[in-house]
Amino acid sequence: MYHSGIAINKDIERAYLWFNLAAAQGVESAASARDIVVKLLTPNQITALQQEAGRISRGYRSLPVADESKD
């Protein structure tokens, strides 16, 4: 959505961020898209976005997960 500007303003930085997070989860199409978008960013933007992706990823991993085996 951020890359194409569908239903939201186009934002290449946000597109890179979410492509990067999806690629880290093994989504091959996201990795390909990220590798295209990265060419539009400066090294400083990339560094900041990778740090933000790390914070998001760590926050996601620290969320409690319901143990459905107790039901």
Side-chain angles (χ1 to χ4, degrees):
M1 290 173 54
Y2 285 114
H3 182 253
S4 60
I6 296 174
I8 196 163
N9 290 333
K10 189 172 183 172
D11 186 333
I12 297 300
E13 289 183 1
R14 294 285 108 189
Y16 174 83
L17 173 68
W18 291 106
F19 285 146
N20 195 36
L21 287 164
Q25 296 298 313
V27 180
E28 289 183 32
S29 60
S32 298
R34 177 204 56 207
D35 294 345
I36 292 168
V37 171
V38 75
K39 296 173 184 173
L40 304 173
L41 301 170
T42 67
N44 287 341
Q45 288 173 307
I46 296 164
T47 298
L49 291 164
Q50 288 174 343
Q51 290 171 347
E52 186 174 350
R55 285 190 297 272
I56 290 169
S57 182
R58 282 188 301 277
Y60 176 76
R61 287 193 306 262
S62 67
L63 291 175
V65 177
D67 185 355
E68 294 178 6
S69 66
K70 294 181 181 180
D71 292 337

